[in-house]
Coordinates of all heavy atoms in Angstrom, one line a residue:
M1 N 156.4 78.4 82.7 CA 156.9 78.0 84.0 C 157.3 79.2 84.8 O 157.8 80.2 84.3 CB 158.0 77.0 83.8 CG 157.6 75.6 83.3 SD 158.9 74.4 83.5 CE 160.0 74.8 82.2
K2 N 157.2 79.0 86.1 CA 157.6 80.1 87.0 C 158.8 79.8 87.8 O 159.2 78.6 87.9 CB 156.4 80.4 88.0 CG 155.1 80.8 87.2 CD 154.1 81.1 88.2 CE 152.7 81.4 87.6 NZ 152.7 82.6 86.8
A3 N 159.5 80.8 88.2 CA 160.7 80.7 88.9 C 160.5 80.4 90.5 O 159.7 81.1 91.0 CB 161.7 81.9 88.8
Y4 N 161.1 79.5 91.1 CA 161.0 79.2 92.5 C 162.4 79.0 93.1 O 163.4 78.8 92.3 CB 160.3 77.8 92.7 CG 158.8 77.9 92.3 CD1 158.4 77.6 91.0 CD2 157.8 78.4 93.1 CE1 157.1 77.7 90.6 CE2 156.5 78.5 92.8 CZ 156.1 78.1 91.5 OH 154.9 78.2 91.1
E5 N 162.4 79.1 94.4 CA 163.6 78.7 95.1 C 163.2 77.8 96.4 O 162.2 78.1 96.9 CB 164.5 79.9 95.5 CG 164.0 80.8 96.5 CD 164.9 82.0 96.7 OE1 165.9 82.2 96.0 OE2 164.7 82.7 97.7
L6 N 163.9 76.8 96.5 CA 163.7 75.9 97.7 C 164.9 75.9 98.6 O 166.1 75.8 98.2 CB 163.6 74.4 97.1 CG 163.7 73.3 98.1 CD1 162.6 73.3 99.1 CD2 163.7 71.9 97.4
L7 N 164.7 76.2 99.8 CA 165.7 76.1 100.9 C 165.3 75.1 101.9 O 164.2 75.1 102.4 CB 165.9 77.5 101.5 CG 166.9 77.6 102.7 CD1 168.3 77.4 102.1 CD2 166.8 78.9 103.3
Y8 N 166.2 74.2 102.1 CA 166.0 73.1 103.2 C 167.1 72.9 103.9 O 168.3 73.2 103.5 CB 165.4 71.8 102.5 CG 166.3 71.0 101.7 CD1 167.1 70.0 102.2 CD2 166.5 71.3 100.3 CE1 168.0 69.4 101.4 CE2 167.5 70.7 99.5 CZ 168.2 69.7 100.1 OH 169.1 69.0 99.4
F9 N 166.9 72.2 105.1 CA 168.2 71.9 105.8 C 167.9 70.5 106.5 O 166.7 70.1 106.8 CB 168.6 72.9 106.9 CG 167.8 73.0 108.1 CD1 168.1 72.2 109.2 CD2 166.8 73.9 108.3 CE1 167.4 72.3 110.5 CE2 166.0 74.0 109.4 CZ 166.3 73.2 110.5
V10 N 168.9 69.8 106.8 CA 168.9 68.5 107.3 C 169.9 68.5 108.5 O 170.7 69.4 108.7 CB 169.4 67.4 106.3 CG1 168.5 67.3 105.1 CG2 170.9 67.6 105.8
D11 N 169.8 67.4 109.3 CA 170.7 67.2 110.4 C 172.1 67.1 109.9 O 172.4 66.4 109.0 CB 170.3 66.0 111.2 CG 171.1 65.8 112.5 OD1 172.1 66.5 112.7 OD2 170.6 65.0 113.3
P12 N 173.1 68.0 110.4 CA 174.4 67.9 110.0 C 175.2 66.7 110.2 O 176.2 66.5 109.6 CB 175.1 69.1 110.6 CG 174.3 69.3 111.8 CD 172.9 69.0 111.5
V13 N 174.7 65.8 111.1 CA 175.5 64.6 111.3 C 175.1 63.5 110.3 O 175.6 62.3 110.4 CB 175.2 64.0 112.7 CG1 175.8 65.0 113.7 CG2 173.8 63.7 113.0
I14 N 174.1 63.7 109.4 CA 173.8 62.7 108.4 C 175.0 62.5 107.5 O 175.7 63.4 107.1 CB 172.6 63.2 107.6 CG1 171.3 63.2 108.4 CG2 172.3 62.3 106.4 CD1 170.1 63.7 107.8
E15 N 175.2 61.2 107.1 CA 176.3 60.9 106.2 C 176.2 61.5 104.8 O 175.1 61.8 104.4 CB 176.4 59.4 106.1 CG 176.7 58.6 107.5 CD 176.8 57.1 107.2 OE1 176.9 56.7 106.1 OE2 176.7 56.5 108.2
E16 N 177.3 61.7 104.3 CA 177.4 62.3 103.0 C 176.6 61.6 101.9 O 175.9 62.2 101.1 CB 178.8 62.5 102.5 CG 179.0 63.4 101.2 CD 178.6 64.7 101.4 OE1 178.6 65.3 102.5 OE2 178.1 65.3 100.4
D17 N 176.6 60.2 101.9 CA 175.9 59.4 101.0 C 174.3 59.7 101.1 O 173.7 59.8 100.2 CB 176.2 57.9 101.2 CG 177.6 57.6 101.0 OD1 178.3 58.4 100.1 OD2 178.1 56.6 101.4
A18 N 173.9 59.7 102.4 CA 172.5 59.9 102.6 C 172.0 61.3 102.1 O 171.0 61.5 101.5 CB 172.1 59.8 104.1
R19 N 172.9 62.3 102.3 CA 172.6 63.6 102.0 C 172.6 63.8 100.3 O 171.8 64.4 99.8 CB 173.7 64.6 102.4 CG 173.3 66.0 102.4 CD 174.4 67.0 103.1 NE 174.5 66.6 104.5 CZ 175.5 66.3 105.2 NH1 176.6 66.2 104.5 NH2 175.6 66.1 106.5
E20 N 173.5 63.1 99.7 CA 173.5 63.0 98.2 C 172.3 62.3 97.7 O 171.7 62.7 96.6 CB 174.8 62.4 97.7 CG 176.0 63.3 97.9 CD 177.2 62.6 97.5 OE1 177.2 61.5 96.9 OE2 178.4 63.1 97.7
A21 N 171.9 61.2 98.3 CA 170.7 60.5 97.9 C 169.5 61.4 98.1 O 168.5 61.4 97.2 CB 170.5 59.2 98.7
L22 N 169.4 62.2 99.2 CA 168.2 63.1 99.3 C 168.2 64.1 98.3 O 167.2 64.5 97.7 CB 168.3 63.7 100.8 CG 167.4 64.7 101.1 CD1 165.9 64.2 101.1 CD2 167.7 65.4 102.4
S23 N 169.4 64.7 98.0 CA 169.4 65.8 97.0 C 169.0 65.2 95.6 O 168.3 65.8 94.9 CB 170.9 66.3 96.9 OG 171.0 67.3 95.9
A24 N 169.5 64.0 95.3 CA 169.0 63.3 94.0 C 167.6 63.1 94.0 O 166.9 63.3 92.9 CB 169.8 62.0 93.9
R25 N 167.0 62.7 95.1 CA 165.5 62.5 95.2 C 164.7 63.8 95.0 O 163.7 63.9 94.2 CB 165.2 61.9 96.5 CG 163.6 61.6 96.6 CD 163.3 60.9 97.8 NE 161.8 60.6 97.8 CZ 161.2 60.2 98.9 NH1 161.8 60.0 100.0 NH2 159.9 59.9 98.9
I26 N 165.2 64.9 95.6 CA 164.6 66.2 95.3 C 164.7 66.6 93.9 O 163.8 67.1 93.2 CB 165.1 67.3 96.4 CG1 164.7 66.8 97.9 CG2 164.7 68.6 96.0 CD1 165.4 67.6 98.9
E27 N 165.9 66.5 93.3 CA 166.1 66.9 92.0 C 165.3 66.1 91.0 O 164.7 66.7 90.1 CB 167.5 66.7 91.5 CG 168.6 67.7 92.3 CD 170.0 67.3 92.0 OE1 170.3 66.8 90.9 OE2 170.8 67.4 92.9
S28 N 165.1 64.7 91.3 CA 164.3 64.0 90.3 C 162.7 64.4 90.5 O 162.1 64.2 89.6 CB 164.5 62.5 90.7 OG 164.0 62.1 91.9
T29 N 162.4 64.7 91.7 CA 161.0 65.1 91.9 C 160.7 66.4 91.1 O 159.7 66.5 90.4 CB 160.6 65.4 93.4 OG1 161.0 64.2 94.1 CG2 159.3 65.8 93.5
I30 N 161.6 67.3 91.1 CA 161.5 68.6 90.3 C 161.5 68.3 88.8 O 160.6 68.6 88.0 CB 162.6 69.5 90.7 CG1 162.4 70.0 92.1 CG2 162.5 70.8 89.7 CD1 163.5 70.9 92.6
T31 N 162.4 67.5 88.4 CA 162.6 67.2 86.9 C 161.5 66.2 86.4 O 161.1 66.4 85.3 CB 164.0 66.7 86.5 OG1 164.2 65.4 87.4 CG2 165.1 67.7 86.8
S32 N 161.0 65.5 87.2 CA 160.0 64.5 86.7 C 158.7 65.2 86.5 O 157.8 64.7 85.7 CB 159.7 63.4 87.8 OG 159.1 63.9 89.0
Q33 N 158.5 66.4 87.0 CA 157.2 67.2 86.8 C 157.5 68.3 85.8 O 157.0 69.3 85.7 CB 156.9 67.9 88.1 CG 156.6 67.0 89.2 CD 155.2 66.2 89.0 OE1 154.2 66.8 88.5 NE2 155.2 65.0 89.4
D34 N 158.5 68.0 84.9 CA 158.9 68.9 83.8 C 159.5 70.2 84.3 O 159.4 71.2 83.6 CB 157.7 69.3 82.8 CG 157.2 68.0 82.2 OD1 158.0 67.0 81.9 OD2 156.0 67.9 81.9
G35 N 160.1 70.2 85.4 CA 160.8 71.4 86.0 C 162.3 71.4 85.5 O 162.8 70.4 85.1
V36 N 162.8 72.6 85.6 CA 164.3 72.7 85.1 C 165.0 73.4 86.4 O 164.6 74.4 86.9 CB 164.3 73.7 84.0 CG1 165.8 74.0 83.6 CG2 163.5 73.1 82.8
I37 N 166.1 72.7 86.8 CA 166.9 73.2 87.9 C 168.0 74.1 87.3 O 168.7 73.9 86.4 CB 167.5 72.0 88.6 CG1 166.6 71.1 89.2 CG2 168.5 72.5 89.6 CD1 167.0 69.9 89.9
D38 N 168.0 75.3 87.9 CA 168.9 76.4 87.5 C 170.2 76.3 88.2 O 171.2 76.4 87.6 CB 168.3 77.8 87.7 CG 167.0 78.0 86.9 OD1 166.9 77.4 85.7 OD2 166.1 78.7 87.2
S39 N 170.1 76.1 89.6 CA 171.3 76.1 90.3 C 171.1 75.4 91.6 O 169.9 75.4 92.1 CB 171.9 77.5 90.6 OG 171.1 78.2 91.3
I40 N 172.1 74.8 92.1 CA 172.0 74.2 93.4 C 173.3 74.7 94.3 O 174.4 74.6 93.8 CB 172.1 72.6 93.4 CG1 171.0 72.1 92.6 CG2 172.2 72.0 94.7 CD1 171.1 70.6 92.3
E41 N 173.0 75.3 95.4 CA 173.9 75.9 96.2 C 174.0 75.3 97.6 O 173.2 75.6 98.4 CB 173.8 77.4 96.4 CG 173.8 78.2 95.1 CD 173.4 79.7 95.3 OE1 173.7 80.2 96.4 OE2 172.8 80.3 94.4
P42 N 175.0 74.4 97.8 CA 175.1 73.9 99.2 C 175.7 74.9 100.1 O 176.8 75.4 99.9 CB 176.0 72.7 99.1 CG 176.7 72.9 97.7 CD 175.9 73.8 96.9
W43 N 174.9 75.4 101.0 CA 175.4 76.4 102.0 C 176.3 75.9 103.1 O 177.0 76.5 103.8 CB 174.2 77.2 102.6 CG 173.6 78.2 101.7 CD1 173.9 78.3 100.4 CD2 172.5 79.0 102.0 NE1 173.0 79.3 99.8 CE2 172.2 79.8 100.8 CE3 171.7 79.3 103.1 CZ2 171.2 80.6 100.8 CZ3 170.8 80.3 103.0 CH2 170.5 81.0 101.9
G44 N 176.1 74.5 103.4 CA 176.9 73.9 104.4 C 176.2 74.1 105.8 O 175.0 74.5 106.0
K45 N 177.0 73.9 106.8 CA 176.5 73.9 108.2 C 176.4 75.3 108.7 O 177.3 76.1 108.6 CB 177.6 73.1 109.1 CG 177.1 73.0 110.5 CD 178.1 72.1 111.2 CE 177.7 72.0 112.7 NZ 178.8 71.2 113.5
R46 N 175.2 75.6 109.3 CA 174.9 77.0 109.8 C 174.3 76.8 111.1 O 173.5 75.9 111.4 CB 173.9 77.7 108.9 CG 174.4 77.9 107.4 CD 175.2 79.2 107.4 NE 175.7 79.4 106.0 CZ 175.5 80.3 105.1 NH1 174.6 81.3 105.6 NH2 176.0 80.4 104.0
K47 N 174.5 77.7 112.0 CA 173.8 77.7 113.3 C 172.4 78.1 113.2 O 172.1 79.1 112.5 CB 174.6 78.6 114.3 CG 174.1 78.6 115.7 CD 175.2 78.6 116.7 CE 174.7 78.6 118.1 NZ 174.4 77.4 118.5
L48 N 171.5 77.5 113.9 CA 170.1 77.8 113.8 C 169.8 78.9 114.9 O 170.5 79.1 115.8 CB 169.1 76.6 114.2 CG 169.4 75.3 113.3 CD1 168.5 74.2 113.9 CD2 169.0 75.6 111.9
A49 N 168.8 79.8 114.5 CA 168.4 80.8 115.4 C 167.9 80.3 116.7 O 168.1 80.9 117.8 CB 167.5 81.7 114.8
Y50 N 167.2 79.2 116.7 CA 166.7 78.5 117.9 C 166.8 77.1 117.7 O 166.8 76.6 116.5 CB 165.3 79.1 118.2 CG 164.3 78.9 117.2 CD1 163.5 77.7 117.0 CD2 164.1 79.9 116.2 CE1 162.7 77.5 115.9 CE2 163.2 79.7 115.1 CZ 162.5 78.5 115.1 OH 161.6 78.4 114.0
E51 N 166.7 76.3 118.7 CA 166.7 74.8 118.7 C 165.5 74.3 118.1 O 164.4 74.6 118.4 CB 166.9 74.3 120.1 CG 167.3 72.8 120.2 CD 167.7 72.5 121.5 OE1 168.8 72.8 122.1 OE2 166.9 71.7 122.1
I52 N 165.7 73.3 117.1 CA 164.6 72.6 116.5 C 164.9 71.2 116.6 O 165.9 70.7 116.2 CB 164.5 73.0 115.0 CG1 164.2 74.5 114.9 CG2 163.4 72.2 114.4 CD1 164.2 74.9 113.4
N53 N 163.9 70.4 117.2 CA 164.1 68.9 117.4 C 165.5 68.6 118.0 O 166.2 67.7 117.6 CB 163.9 68.2 116.0 CG 162.6 68.3 115.5 OD1 161.6 68.7 116.2 ND2 162.6 68.1 114.2
K54 N 165.9 69.4 119.0 CA 167.1 69.2 119.6 C 168.3 69.5 118.8 O 169.5 69.0 119.2 CB 167.2 67.9 120.4 CG 166.1 67.7 121.5 CD 166.2 66.4 122.2 CE 165.1 66.4 123.2 NZ 165.1 65.1 124.0
L55 N 168.3 70.1 117.8 CA 169.3 70.5 116.9 C 169.7 71.9 117.0 O 168.8 72.8 117.1 CB 169.0 70.2 115.4 CG 168.7 68.8 114.9 CD1 168.3 68.8 113.5 CD2 169.9 67.9 115.1
Q56 N 171.0 72.2 117.1 CA 171.4 73.6 117.2 C 172.0 74.1 115.8 O 172.2 75.2 115.6 CB 172.3 73.8 118.3 CG 171.7 73.5 119.6 CD 172.7 73.7 120.7 OE1 174.0 73.9 120.5 NE2 172.2 73.7 122.0
D57 N 172.4 73.1 114.9 CA 172.9 73.4 113.6 C 172.1 72.7 112.6 O 171.5 71.7 112.8 CB 174.4 72.9 113.6 CG 175.3 73.6 114.5 OD1 175.2 74.8 114.7 OD2 176.1 72.9 115.2
G58 N 172.3 73.2 111.4 CA 171.6 72.5 110.2 C 172.5 72.6 108.9 O 173.3 73.6 108.9
D59 N 172.4 71.7 108.1 CA 173.2 71.7 106.8 C 172.2 72.1 105.7 O 171.3 71.3 105.3 CB 173.7 70.3 106.5 CG 174.7 70.2 105.4 OD1 174.9 71.3 104.8 OD2 175.1 69.2 105.0
Y60 N 172.4 73.3 105.2 CA 171.5 74.0 104.3 C 171.8 73.8 102.9 O 173.0 73.7 102.5 CB 171.5 75.5 104.5 CG 170.7 75.9 105.8 CD1 171.3 75.9 107.1 CD2 169.4 76.4 105.7 CE1 170.6 76.3 108.2 CE2 168.7 76.8 106.9 CZ 169.4 76.8 108.0 OH 168.6 77.1 109.2
T61 N 170.8 73.7 102.0 CA 170.9 73.7 100.6 C 169.9 74.6 99.9 O 168.6 74.5 100.4 CB 170.7 72.2 100.0 OG1 171.7 71.4 100.8 CG2 171.0 72.2 98.6
L62 N 170.3 75.3 98.9 CA 169.3 76.3 98.2 C 169.3 75.8 96.8 O 170.4 75.5 96.1 CB 170.0 77.7 98.2 CG 169.1 78.7 97.4 CD1 167.7 78.9 98.0 CD2 169.8 80.0 97.2
I63 N 168.1 75.6 96.3 CA 167.9 75.1 94.9 C 167.0 76.1 94.2 O 165.9 76.5 94.6 CB 167.3 73.8 94.8 CG1 168.1 72.7 95.5 CG2 166.9 73.3 93.3 CD1 167.4 71.4 95.6
N64 N 167.5 76.8 93.1 CA 166.8 77.6 92.2 C 166.3 76.7 91.0 O 167.1 76.1 90.4 CB 167.6 78.9 91.7 CG 168.0 79.7 92.8 OD1 167.0 80.3 93.5 ND2 169.2 79.9 93.1
F65 N 165.1 76.9 90.7 CA 164.4 76.1 89.7 C 163.1 76.7 89.0 O 162.7 77.7 89.5 CB 164.1 74.7 90.1 CG 163.0 74.7 91.2 CD1 161.7 74.4 90.8 CD2 163.3 74.9 92.5 CE1 160.7 74.2 91.8 CE2 162.3 74.7 93.5 CZ 161.0 74.5 93.1
H66 N 162.9 76.2 87.8 CA 161.6 76.7 87.2 C 160.7 75.5 87.1 O 161.1 74.4 86.8 CB 162.0 77.2 85.7 CG 162.5 78.5 85.6 ND1 163.8 78.8 85.9 CD2 161.9 79.7 85.4 CE1 164.0 80.1 85.8 NE2 162.9 80.7 85.6
A67 N 159.4 75.8 87.4 CA 158.4 74.6 87.4 C 157.1 75.2 87.2 O 156.8 76.3 87.4 CB 158.5 73.8 88.6
K68 N 156.2 74.3 86.9 CA 154.7 74.6 86.8 C 154.2 74.7 88.2 O 154.6 74.0 89.0 CB 154.0 73.6 86.0 CG 154.4 73.4 84.6 CD 153.7 72.2 83.9 CE 154.3 71.9 82.6 NZ 153.7 70.7 81.9
P69 N 153.2 75.7 88.4 CA 152.7 75.8 89.7 C 152.1 74.6 90.3 O 152.1 74.4 91.5 CB 151.7 77.0 89.6 CG 152.1 77.6 88.4 CD 152.8 76.7 87.5
T70 N 151.6 73.7 89.5 CA 150.9 72.5 89.9 C 151.8 71.5 90.4 O 151.5 70.6 91.2 CB 150.1 71.9 88.7 OG1 150.9 71.7 87.6 CG2 148.8 72.8 88.3
S71 N 153.1 71.5 90.0 CA 154.1 70.6 90.4 C 154.7 70.9 91.8 O 155.3 70.0 92.5 CB 155.3 70.5 89.4 OG 155.9 71.7 89.4
I72 N 154.4 72.1 92.3 CA 154.9 72.5 93.6 C 154.3 71.6 94.7 O 154.8 71.3 95.7 CB 154.7 74.0 93.9 CG1 155.5 74.7 92.8 CG2 155.2 74.3 95.3 CD1 157.0 74.4 92.7
A73 N 153.0 71.2 94.5 CA 152.3 70.4 95.5 C 152.9 69.1 95.6 O 153.1 68.5 96.8 CB 150.8 70.2 95.1
E74 N 153.5 68.5 94.6 CA 154.1 67.2 94.6 C 155.4 67.3 95.3 O 155.7 66.5 96.1 CB 154.3 66.6 93.2 CG 155.1 65.3 93.2 CD 154.4 64.1 93.9 OE1 153.3 64.2 94.2 OE2 155.2 63.2 94.2
L75 N 156.2 68.3 95.0 CA 157.4 68.6 95.7 C 157.2 68.8 97.2 O 158.0 68.2 98.0 CB 158.1 69.9 95.1 CG 159.4 70.3 95.8 CD1 160.5 69.2 95.6 CD2 159.9 71.6 95.1
D76 N 156.2 69.6 97.6 CA 155.8 69.8 99.0 C 155.5 68.4 99.6 O 156.0 68.2 100.8 CB 154.6 70.7 99.0 CG 154.4 71.2 100.6 OD1 155.2 71.9 101.0 OD2 153.3 70.7 101.0
R77 N 154.8 67.6 99.0 CA 154.5 66.3 99.6 C 155.7 65.4 99.8 O 155.9 64.8 100.9 CB 153.5 65.6 98.7 CG 152.9 64.2 99.2 CD 152.3 63.4 98.1 NE 153.2 62.9 97.1 CZ 153.9 61.8 97.3 NH1 153.9 61.1 98.4 NH2 154.7 61.3 96.3
V78 N 156.6 65.4 98.8 CA 157.9 64.6 98.9 C 158.7 65.1 100.1 O 159.2 64.3 100.9 CB 158.6 64.6 97.7 CG1 160.0 64.0 97.8 CG2 157.8 63.8 96.6
L79 N 158.7 66.4 100.2 CA 159.6 67.0 101.3 C 159.1 66.7 102.7 O 159.8 66.6 103.7 CB 159.8 68.5 101.0 CG 160.7 68.9 99.9 CD1 160.6 70.3 99.5 CD2 162.1 68.5 100.2
R80 N 157.7 66.8 102.8 CA 157.0 66.5 104.0 C 157.2 65.1 104.5 O 157.3 64.8 105.7 CB 155.5 66.9 104.0 CG 155.2 68.3 104.0 CD 153.7 68.6 104.1 NE 153.5 70.0 103.8 CZ 153.5 71.0 104.6 NH1 154.0 70.7 105.8 NH2 153.3 72.2 104.3
I81 N 157.2 64.1 103.5 CA 157.3 62.8 104.1 C 158.7 62.2 104.1 O 159.1 61.1 104.7 CB 156.6 61.8 103.1 CG1 157.1 61.8 101.7 CG2 155.1 62.1 103.1 CD1 156.5 60.7 100.8
T82 N 159.7 63.0 103.7 CA 161.2 62.7 103.9 C 161.6 63.0 105.3 O 161.7 64.2 105.7 CB 161.9 63.4 102.8 OG1 161.4 63.1 101.6 CG2 163.4 62.9 102.9
D83 N 161.9 62.0 106.1 CA 162.4 62.2 107.5 C 163.7 63.0 107.7 O 163.8 63.7 108.6 CB 162.4 60.9 108.2 CG 161.1 60.1 108.3 OD1 160.1 60.8 108.4 OD2 161.1 58.9 108.4
A84 N 164.5 62.9 106.6 CA 165.8 63.6 106.8 C 165.7 65.1 106.6 O 166.5 65.8 107.2 CB 166.8 63.1 105.7
V85 N 164.7 65.6 106.0 CA 164.5 67.0 105.9 C 163.9 67.6 107.2 O 162.7 67.2 107.6 CB 163.6 67.4 104.6 CG1 163.3 68.9 104.6 CG2 164.2 67.0 103.4
V86 N 164.5 68.4 107.9 CA 164.0 69.0 109.2 C 163.0 70.2 108.9 O 161.9 70.1 109.3 CB 165.1 69.5 110.0 CG1 164.5 70.1 111.3 CG2 166.1 68.4 110.3
R87 N 163.4 71.1 108.0 CA 162.5 72.2 107.6 C 162.8 72.5 106.2 O 164.0 72.3 105.7 CB 162.8 73.5 108.4 CG 162.4 73.3 109.9 CD 160.9 73.5 110.1 NE 160.5 73.8 111.4 CZ 160.4 72.9 112.3 NH1 160.5 71.6 112.1 NH2 160.0 73.1 113.6
F88 N 161.9 73.1 105.5 CA 162.1 73.5 104.1 C 161.1 74.6 103.8 O 160.1 74.9 104.5 CB 161.8 72.4 103.1 CG 160.3 71.9 103.1 CD1 159.5 72.5 102.2 CD2 159.8 71.0 104.0 CE1 158.2 72.1 102.0 CE2 158.6 70.6 103.9 CZ 157.7 71.2 103.0
M89 N 161.4 75.4 102.8 CA 160.6 76.5 102.3 C 160.7 76.7 100.8 O 161.8 76.7 100.3 CB 161.0 77.8 103.0 CG 160.0 79.0 102.6 SD 160.3 80.4 103.7 CE 162.0 80.6 103.8
V90 N 159.5 76.6 100.1 CA 159.4 76.8 98.7 C 158.9 78.3 98.5 O 157.8 78.5 98.9 CB 158.7 75.8 97.9 CG1 158.7 76.1 96.4 CG2 159.2 74.4 98.2
V91 N 159.6 79.1 97.7 CA 159.1 80.4 97.5 C 159.2 80.7 96.0 O 160.2 80.4 95.4 CB 160.1 81.4 98.3 CG1 159.7 82.9 98.0 CG2 160.1 81.2 99.7
R92 N 158.1 81.4 95.6 CA 158.1 81.8 94.2 C 158.9 83.1 94.0 O 158.6 84.1 94.8 CB 156.6 82.1 93.7 CG 156.6 82.5 92.2 CD 155.1 82.5 91.8 NE 155.1 83.2 90.5 CZ 154.3 84.1 90.2 NH1 153.2 84.5 91.1 NH2 154.3 84.8 89.1
K93 N 159.8 83.1 93.1 CA 160.7 84.3 92.9 C 159.9 85.4 92.1 O 159.1 85.0 91.3 CB 162.0 84.0 92.3 CG 162.8 83.1 93.2 CD 164.0 82.5 92.5 CE 165.0 83.6 92.1 NZ 166.2 83.1 91.5
D94 N 160.3 86.6 92.4 CA 159.7 87.8 91.7 C 160.2 87.6 90.2 O 161.3 87.5 89.8 CB 160.3 89.1 92.2 CG 159.6 90.3 91.7 OD1 158.5 90.1 91.0 OD2 160.1 91.4 91.9
P95 N 159.2 87.8 89.1 CA 159.6 87.6 87.7 C 160.5 88.7 87.3 O 161.2 88.6 86.3 CB 158.3 87.6 87.0 CG 157.3 88.1 88.0 CD 157.8 87.9 89.3
T96 N 160.7 89.9 88.1 CA 161.6 90.9 87.6 C 163.1 90.6 87.9 O 163.9 91.3 87.5 CB 161.2 92.2 88.3 OG1 161.3 92.1 89.7 CG2 159.8 92.7 87.8
E97 N 163.3 89.6 88.8 CA 164.7 89.2 89.1 C 165.4 88.6 88.0 O 164.9 87.8 87.2 CB 164.8 88.4 90.4 CG 164.3 89.2 91.6 CD 164.4 88.3 92.8 OE1 164.8 87.1 92.8 OE2 163.9 88.8 93.8

């Protein structure tokens, strides 16, 4: 398995329950594909560099995990169809880190 990190943000006005449900869905998508979550870091509310969908702030979360390269496509699909996720980025980490 390879090391990846996922950074995504949602609208900061979304309720805490909805945010937790979204986080649980993302975690279950990773683990259902035999992935292992190393850490989850909620970064909280941050100002965006430019306005996206009339939003000036976003609530960021960083997830470090290990997964098979083939499971990233499923994670990408789930993130794309989830309306609460405004933007996301999955990056493969350097193995020397």
